[in-house]
Amino acid sequence: SLLVNHSIPLEERAKVYCACVRPVLLYAVETWALTERLEGLLASCDHRMLRYMSRVRWQDRITNEEVRRRCGVENLEHRLRKMRLRWFGHVKRRDENSILRRAMELEVEGRRPVGRPKKTWSKVEEEDRSITEDRAEDSNSGGDAYHVQPQKWETRDVKRR
């Protein structure tokens, strides 16, 4: 197969992967209301293919970030966010009477079922916009807009009985 032919440079095989395999994996993903579980499954599949293509086993203790860097492939989470925001822009620019706009702004009447509400596309879009705005502010202060800052954990004193 072309993707595992090691006589071809890894960067070139990664370009083929990004042009042929990833679009199939992510077909119409911008319209999905992705849950963390589903996003994790997509990322896992992506990482497994990149590792297989670059002959890196998990026993080698090389991080997925390093494998992506070697291949020159964009982080899947960032790619998904860009695709969703681009689609949201297309929908928002549509005419008010467009079926896409009406479907997006539709409120379903009646009672919802018991339990946690399903994740909606509009909630995913709101999360994407808030994350992108936060990262854009970070990039204005000298950071990268898609670089994840490590979280600072607060410790609390807990009184034991």
Side-chain angles (χ1 to χ4, degrees), residues 8-159:
I8 301 171
L10 180 59
E11 294 81 16
E12 299 303 318
R13 289 182 280 143
K15 287 178 185 176
V16 172
Y17 172 77
C18 288
C20 299
V21 178
R22 241 188 188 186
V24 173
L25 178 67
L26 303 179
Y27 183 76
V29 75
E30 58 269 8
T31 62
W32 303 352
L34 273 181
T35 60
E36 287 182 17
R37 179 181 174 276
L38 192 54
E39 194 169 326
L41 287 172
L42 288 172
S44 173
C45 179
D46 187 53
H47 293 145
R48 267 186 270 133
M49 286 191 242
L50 289 174
R51 283 178 173 276
Y52 184 71
M53 193 171 67
S54 59
R55 278 189 172 165
V56 173
R57 300 175 309 155
W58 65 270
Q59 292 95 338
D60 297 336
R61 300 181 58 85
I62 297 175
T63 64
N64 290 329
E65 290 177 11
E66 175 62 21
V67 173
R68 269 196 319 270
R69 189 194 62 73
R70 288 180 186 181
C71 294
V73 174
E74 182 181 21
N75 186 346
L76 188 71
E77 179 185 343
H78 300 157
R79 181 74 183 135
L80 293 173
R81 186 171 299 114
K82 284 181 186 178
M83 292 170 73
R84 284 192 301 256
L85 290 173
R86 186 177 66 226
W87 175 249
F88 174 72
H90 289 309
V91 172
K92 277 301 208 188
R93 286 189 297 271
R94 298 293 296 243
D95 183 37
E96 288 290 328
N97 297 325
S98 166
I99 193 163
L100 282 175
R101 286 288 293 269
R102 290 189 310 191
M104 193 171 111
E105 296 166 359
L106 179 69
E107 291 289 331
V108 179
E109 295 181 16
R111 296 179 54 132
R112 68 173 187 81
V114 176
R116 181 179 178 180
K118 298 277 187 205
K119 192 167 196 178
T120 62
W121 187 86
S122 59
K123 292 288 183 193
V124 173
E125 180 269 327
E126 286 174 16
E127 292 171 7
D128 286 344
R129 285 186 27 209
S130 68
I131 289 171
T132 304
E133 288 169 1
D134 291 345
R135 291 194 178 154
E137 289 173 7
D138 290 345
S139 68
N140 290 339
S141 62
D144 180 16
Y146 283 107
H147 179 72
V148 177
Q149 298 293 328
Q151 292 181 345
K152 295 180 181 174
W153 297 95
E154 295 180 16
T155 58
R156 296 184 295 171
D157 293 329
V158 179
K159 294 182 181 179

